[in-house]
Amino acid sequence: MLLVVGDDELLASRSVADAIAHSRAQLPDVEIREYVGGEISPGALDEMLTPSLFGGPRMLIIRDGQDVKKDATAALLKYARDPDPEVSLVIVHAGGAKGKALADGLRGLGAQTIKAVKLTRHRERVEFIRDEFRRLGGRAGEEAAEALLAAVGNDLRELVAACSQLVADTGGRVDAATIAQYYRGRAEVSGFTVADAVMVGDVPGALEALRWALHTGVDPVPIADAIADGVRTVARVAAAGRGNAYQLASGLGMPPWKVERAQRQARGWTPHALVDAMRVAAECNAAVKGGSDDRGYALERAIFAVVAARSGSQA
């Protein structure tokens, strides 16, 4: 028995597709039957479990398991206690309180459980991208996954398509430079591109990236957030003192590559200058999110002010 629990349609569908592929690899003549939870009754369940005229292995897939009615849930759990060895049962359940008795009952009977919940955290999406490359026979480091996320966005379907295309076009070895080249038009509009240029004092580069981003329709808010994040990251890494990036990473709660980048960017900054830069970033955020008449101008002004703070520390 397989129980797929979660509210992400893509992840749930892929788990079912994997189960079907695995079953067909073992049993090429397996019969696949699919049903919708809300339409199942105890009588219908008996019919579902009835072997076909020629017999043989079967896989029964019940989608929307949370909608299975109480009497059908009882009948399904009764069957699951003593299942037909020729029948593979796959239940897809959205999770939550609705239909919880079915999910809990199947778990209690030892059903293999796969989670298919929506990915809400940045770290989860980065790991998803890396896993997707591995799934496709490719390989991508953390920095490459971060770059792809910045270039493509959070939509899992778009990320899956991007991973597939990159593996097909590159043979599977993908790094951040590959992403930057492949998605040049999109990667250049990332707010982090602006922030990286600001933190090393590259005013022309930061302004060019900012104007291109605004020209292509990027919202000013994530750009302001990226600048603020860049300043905070450099301040935290600088305050941690010198050391190996891998040793500092766990204490700071950052990936090692991000610590290394911040260490490079921290050269030329003093603690006082970083305090000034944080004040500038906060004012920029307030202007951009507070409905400034010209949010683009607020971002340009912040670029000049942050770089001025850095230049002042070198005077």
Side-chain angles (χ1 to χ4, degrees):
M1 289 184 294
L2 175 65
L3 174 65
V4 180
V5 182
D7 55 354
D8 190 287
E9 183 183 343
L10 172 66
L11 297 180
S13 296
R14 289 182 61 172
S15 295
V16 173
D18 287 347
I20 292 172
H22 178 74
S23 183
R24 282 184 170 151
Q26 303 295 318
L27 304 162
D29 59 341
V30 66
E31 180 185 356
I32 309 295
R33 301 180 184 178
E34 297 201 35
Y35 304 90
V36 178
E39 298 175 1
I40 296 174
S41 65
L45 184 61
D46 290 338
E47 185 178 335
M48 288 163 53
L49 295 168
T50 301
S52 63
L53 183 62
F54 301 103
R58 286 158 288 148
M59 174 178 278
L60 305 185
I61 301 167
I62 300 176
R63 299 184 184 273
D64 298 330
Q66 70 280 356
D67 295 333
V68 175
K69 297 178 176 62
K70 191 176 293 186
D71 54 352
T73 293
L76 197 52
L77 291 175
K78 180 181 178 182
Y79 165 77
R81 290 186 185 95
D82 185 23
D84 183 335
E86 288 223 302
V87 175
S88 299
L89 189 61
V90 178
I91 311 288
V92 183
H93 191 293
K98 187 178 182 183
K100 190 171 182 289
L102 177 59
D104 288 348
L106 290 171
R107 285 195 194 95
L109 292 169
Q112 178 191 356
T113 303
I114 295 177
K115 292 183 179 180
V117 295
K118 289 186 183 297
L119 306 184
T120 57
R121 296 176 181 172
H122 180 80
R123 176 83 251 152
E124 293 173 332
R125 296 189 184 102
V126 170
E127 288 305 314
F128 173 82
I129 292 169
R130 297 191 69 190
D131 287 343
E132 185 64 19
F133 277 114
R134 282 191 285 266
R135 172 191 174 95
L136 295 166
R139 189 174 179 182
E142 199 163 302
E143 191 168 2
E146 290 274 4
L148 185 61
L149 194 58
V152 175
N154 294 335
D155 186 275
L156 292 192
R157 292 184 186 278
E158 289 193 18
L159 287 169
V160 166
C163 291
S164 177
Q165 190 67 55
L166 282 163
V167 169
D169 290 350
T170 65
R173 294 192 66 83
V174 178
D175 57 20
T178 308
I179 305 292
Q181 183 176 9
Y182 201 91
Y183 289 94
R184 186 171 300 280
R186 298 179 70 173
E188 284 179 357
V189 304
S190 164
F192 292 102
T193 305
V194 179
D196 286 347
V198 169
M199 294 311 297
V200 296
D202 181 7
V203 172
L207 290 176
E208 181 182 1
L210 171 64
R211 288 163 186 168
W212 175 249
L214 298 176
H215 174 72
T216 55
V218 175
D219 191 295
V221 170
I223 301 176
D225 286 339
I227 293 173
D229 180 71
V231 175
R232 282 195 303 269
T233 299
V234 168
R236 288 182 62 203
V237 171
R242 295 182 179 180
N244 183 284
Y246 287 86
Q247 294 174 337
L248 294 173
S250 59
L252 291 168
M254 298 179 193
W257 67 264
K258 192 171 185 178
V259 175
E260 287 179 344
R261 184 176 65 185
Q263 286 175 326
R264 291 193 299 270
Q265 293 174 341
R267 295 168 191 154
W269 283 95
T270 64
H272 180 73
L274 285 167
V275 170
D276 287 345
M278 283 190 274
R279 176 184 51 76
V280 170
E283 291 172 353
C284 176
N285 255 281
V288 170
K289 296 176 182 178
S292 168
D293 291 338
D294 191 340
R295 297 192 295 172
Y297 174 69
L299 287 165
E300 287 195 9
R301 188 172 56 189
I303 287 171
F304 282 110
V306 170
V307 173
R310 180 179 183 275
S311 299
S313 71
Q314 296 175 317

